[in-house]
Amino acid sequence: MDWSKVGTTFFIMMSLTTTVGFVYDGDPYELIASVVFNLIATILKLGSKKTLSAELLATSLAADLHLIPALIFYELGTRSTLVEAFAWGALVANVFSVILVIIETILEAREETWW
């Protein structure tokens, strides 16, 4: 088992699920958790040299650039519709990231030799 892939995938999924929680409920602690989980996932993706590494990093950076402004605007207490729009953008980026992880897993499984 590749523990680095387990850790990266865990933080990708945690970012996705906490972003969904924030979009659904609007709890600021979920937004903070989503930012933290996504930043950790971004850091874990930096050293990867796999097939879709660049695409995975790009989706994570896109989510970061949605979640961080969402948190700033939330804390300022202005433009709640903008906060929600940023959260939806991060949610789309995280869903795309999960799709890429699934594709990468399938590609890696096809490359392995099964005896």
Side-chain angles (χ1 to χ4, degrees), residues 40-60:
I40 293 170
T42 302
I43 291 168
L44 291 173
K45 291 176 188 177
L46 284 174
S48 180
K49 300 214 188 250
K50 297 187 179 182
T51 307
L52 298 174
S53 300
E55 292 81 1
L56 281 167
L57 182 59
T59 58
S60 194

Side-chain angles (χ1 to χ4, degrees), residues 30-31 34 44 57 66 70 85 89 97:
E30 284 179 316
L31 181 58
S34 184
L44 291 173
L57 182 59
H66 280 84
S97 185

